[in-house]
Amino acid sequence: MSNKKLFKWIYIGFAALMAGLMLAAILYVRGLLAEYEAARPERQAERAIALLAQETKEESYWQKFDLPQVGEETKTAFLKLCQSEGLSYIAQSASAEDEMEYLIRKGSFPLAKVTLKAQGPQVTKLAVFTMREWAIEGIVPLLEKRTYTATLPEGFGLWADGKELSAKTEGGKARFTLAEVYLEPQFKVVAADGSEVGYEIKNFKVLPEIYEYSLTLPATIEVKMNGKDLQGTVLPGGRVRYEIMELKKPEILLSDLYGNEITYEGKDTLPMTYLSLNAPADYTVLLEGKAVAEQAVKEEIAEEYALLENLVHELPTVVRYEIAILKEDAAIKVTDGEGKEVSLEQGATEQDFTAPLPKQETVPKEIAAEIDVLKVAQHWSLFMSNDRTFTEMAKEMDPDSYQYEVAKKYSTSIDKQFFASHTLLSPAFTENKVSNFTQITPDAFSVEVRFIKHMRLNNGGKVVKDAMNDCFYFVRNADGWRLAALKEVA
């Protein structure tokens, strides 16, 4: 045989060998894939659905699992659900590493809990196929009383198995509750115009198929729905919340004070630049190179002195800018009274450039000669512990002040009656300190007062130390300096 023919036969033999090995490899991988698929725990969950249908046909099933004593109609309906077509399963968190749990459901309604138990360790084949053998440990039916809820637009109605449910209406919404039912009712959602609305149930909540949006926006952003102004709920801090629930898709238009408009369609974020800024009156604030809209600028008394507003003229004021523009990263420039640019904190939505009034460590002699602030503060403490009458305390207070009203209400409140009977010790006050005097205006000042009041309870003899550390505000009226307000020092 020539070398040429020999090579040919060797080549054919080698090719046949390779083809055989390749076929064997393909068959092996295909078998491995089938083994991997069969080992998946989901296959056992599917098997559990079939087992549930079989087991619920047994007459002893109800007693076997000690299910609740319900009417024959409910019992029959539950067993029928367990045997029905279209059951599904969903994985749950398991209590152990070698366990898995699934819920068998009809739609979203849970029918049974399936527990799987691992039959051995994980096995890895061909470096990528990791599998583990699982077996059904138990199938436990779930029949218990549940509560269904629904939150619908005001004017909507909700029926359960043909019976209309009553609602509690608040904030423009109707809230329904159907408590302690074993099986999922057939609900019907009806709109205010009488049309029936589709729904789905998730976590025992009836969710209507409507357009629902919740928006919280700065007050200067205008909201129109279908061409009409929309009124929201003003929140603490000035922002406005809009709760929208509509049968048909609404057209929601947002506009700012600078000519920008966008149509809102339920996006998670809006293109917006927002900044609430406090600045002295001589500061200049520009937005995109232009002055901030007048509607977004307000000069007001500094928050710290708001309680003195009706008592004192020319209290310190701040200019508040509520900047809200429907544009991302809009340029905001702030300059001080000398024209120097002031840097803004990156990403902050609130900035305060107002400086506190200067403080003095002690009360000036001319004011100390007119009023003993420590004595007034101690008198207030004594009034709060029923050691001083309202008539006595009122003489040291401005009758038009906030604190006078507080004292008057306290003097007749039930809280006063519950203050423990006691005896003041001697000395009654120790660790007295007066500091941080601030001249607010010629007719108003604040000062921080700190001390400890010592008392012995008449019932049991316990000694109590009552600490005070408050800022006291005084105003001058026709009768001299009088207490007007106080607040705790942080």
Side-chain angles (χ1 to χ4, degrees):
M1 182 180 294
S2 66
N3 290 338
K4 206 174 204 181
K5 288 184 177 181
L6 179 62
F7 176 78
K8 179 181 177 181
W9 286 108
I10 293 174
Y11 177 78
I12 292 172
F14 179 76
L17 177 62
M18 289 299 101
L21 291 174
M22 186 177 294
L23 178 61
I26 291 172
L27 292 173
Y28 177 74
V29 172
R30 188 168 69 176
L32 192 57
L33 283 171
E35 183 183 355
Y36 175 78
E37 182 65 23
R40 289 176 61 191
E42 289 86 349
R43 302 291 78 82
Q44 295 296 333
E46 292 170 358
R47 180 168 166 263
I49 291 177
L51 288 174
L52 177 65
Q54 292 176 12
E55 291 179 358
T56 50
K57 294 177 182 178
E58 299 175 5
E59 291 186 7
S60 61
Y61 186 80
W62 211 262
Q63 290 72 31
K64 177 181 177 182
F65 290 98
D66 193 24
L67 292 172
Q69 296 302 311
V70 296
E72 196 62 33
E73 185 178 342
T74 300
K75 179 179 177 181
T76 302
F78 178 74
L79 295 176
K80 187 176 179 180
L81 280 174
C82 294
Q83 299 163 22
S84 63
E85 298 290 333
L87 299 187
S88 62
Y89 58 84
I90 183 172
Q92 303 288 289
S93 57
S95 56
E97 186 178 348
D98 60 348
E99 285 185 357
M100 295 192 74
E101 289 185 357
Y102 288 87
L103 276 185
I104 297 177
R105 307 185 303 174
K106 180 68 171 181
S108 65
F109 186 75
L111 295 172
K113 181 178 75 172
V114 180
T115 303
L116 304 184
K117 193 79 171 179
Q119 300 302 294
Q122 287 186 345
V123 177
T124 301
K125 297 182 179 182
L126 285 185
V128 294
F129 293 100
T130 300
M131 61 191 86
R132 195 174 192 181
E133 187 178 351
W134 295 90
I136 297 174
E137 180 81 0
I139 307 172
V140 179
L142 301 174
L143 184 64
E144 56 193 55
K145 290 182 178 179
R146 295 182 172 89
T147 296
Y148 289 82
T149 61
T151 300
L152 306 176
E154 189 173 359
F156 274 47
L158 182 66
W159 275 256
D161 291 334
K163 182 180 179 181
E164 186 175 7
L165 304 181
S166 59
K168 290 184 178 179
T169 302
E170 54 179 308
K173 293 185 178 182
R175 306 184 189 278
F176 298 85
T177 300
L178 179 62
E180 296 190 333
V181 291
Y182 282 106
L183 299 179
E184 184 173 284
Q186 184 66 41
F187 288 102
K188 182 173 75 170
V189 180
V190 178
D193 62 4
S195 60
E196 192 168 339
V197 180
Y199 69 89
E200 63 176 343
I201 297 176
K202 288 186 178 179
N203 297 323
F204 308 106
K205 292 182 179 179
V206 182
L207 305 174
E209 294 176 356
I210 60 177
Y211 293 90
E212 183 174 6
Y213 309 109
S214 180
L215 277 168
T216 300
L217 300 170
T220 55
I221 299 295
E222 184 183 70
V223 181
K224 286 181 179 290
M225 185 174 73
N226 300 329
K228 296 181 180 180
D229 290 335
L230 194 63
Q231 302 299 317
T233 302
V234 179
L235 304 176
R239 291 200 175 195
V240 183
R241 176 175 294 154
Y242 300 89
E243 298 288 351
I244 300 170
M245 299 178 77
E246 293 290 316
L247 257 179
K248 297 179 180 179
K249 185 176 182 180
E251 183 181 313
I252 302 171
L253 186 67
L254 310 182
S255 58
D256 60 26
L257 298 174
Y258 309 96
N260 301 297
E261 293 184 344
I262 63 170
T263 300
Y264 180 75
E265 296 184 347
K267 298 176 182 176
D268 292 333
T269 57
L270 288 169
M272 181 183 295
T273 301
Y274 172 73
L275 177 62
S276 179
L277 186 148
N278 288 343
D282 60 351
Y283 272 46
T284 301
V285 181
L286 298 178
L287 175 61
E288 297 285 278
K290 298 179 182 179
V292 177
E294 290 184 8
Q295 302 96 309
V297 183
K298 182 180 180 182
E299 185 171 4
E300 55 191 15
I301 293 171
E303 184 179 354
E304 183 179 355
Y305 311 122
L307 292 176
L308 308 179
E309 185 174 2
N310 66 324
L311 304 174
V312 183
H313 298 295
E314 298 182 356
L315 286 167
T317 62
V318 299
V319 181
R320 187 171 186 85
Y321 298 83
E322 291 291 342
I323 299 172
I325 181 171
L326 294 169
K327 182 179 180 181
E328 290 183 354
D329 302 321
I332 301 173
K333 183 179 180 181
V334 181
T335 54
D336 63 17
E338 298 178 353
K340 296 179 181 178
E341 186 170 352
V342 181
S343 61
L344 294 169
E345 183 182 344
Q346 192 70 25
T349 57
E350 293 190 11
Q351 296 263 263
D352 192 344
F353 293 111
T354 57
L357 293 172
K359 297 181 184 294
Q360 297 175 234
E361 190 55 33
T362 58
V363 179
K365 292 181 180 179
E366 60 273 20
I367 291 180
E370 298 178 26
I371 183 171
D372 185 342
V373 296
L374 176 60
K375 184 177 180 181
V376 173
Q378 290 175 346
H379 284 173
W380 175 262
S381 178
L382 292 171
F383 168 67
M384 294 301 290
S385 58
N386 296 334
D387 295 298
R388 193 171 177 82
T389 67
F390 172 69
T391 301
E392 292 173 317
M393 191 67 228
K395 295 176 183 178
E396 300 178 285
M397 307 179 73
D398 188 298
D400 297 320
S401 69
Y402 167 79
Q403 209 62 37
Y404 184 94
E405 289 302 317
V406 170
K408 187 176 181 180
K409 289 179 181 178
Y410 178 73
S411 67
T412 57
S413 73
I414 193 69
D415 295 338
K416 187 175 186 295
Q417 311 303 321
F418 283 109
F419 200 94
S421 177
H422 61 275
T423 302
L424 292 173
L425 299 182
S426 182
F429 299 98
T430 63
E431 300 184 32
N432 300 303
K433 184 178 181 181
V434 176
S435 61
N436 290 330
F437 172 89
T438 302
Q439 190 77 57
I440 302 169
T441 74
D443 294 320
F445 70 85
S446 67
V447 64
E448 293 179 14
V449 181
R450 185 169 62 193
F451 53 73
I452 296 177
K453 181 172 63 178
H454 302 268
M455 302 173 287
R456 176 179 284 110
L457 301 183
N458 294 338
N459 183 8
K462 181 181 178 181
V463 173
V464 176
K465 296 181 179 180
D466 182 22
M468 172 169 275
N469 185 19
D470 284 20
C471 183
F472 286 76
Y473 295 81
F474 292 85
V475 298
R476 181 159 48 192
N477 60 23
D479 297 319
W481 291 105
R482 294 293 183 266
L483 176 63
L486 64 93
K487 66 178 182 180
E488 187 177 0
V489 176

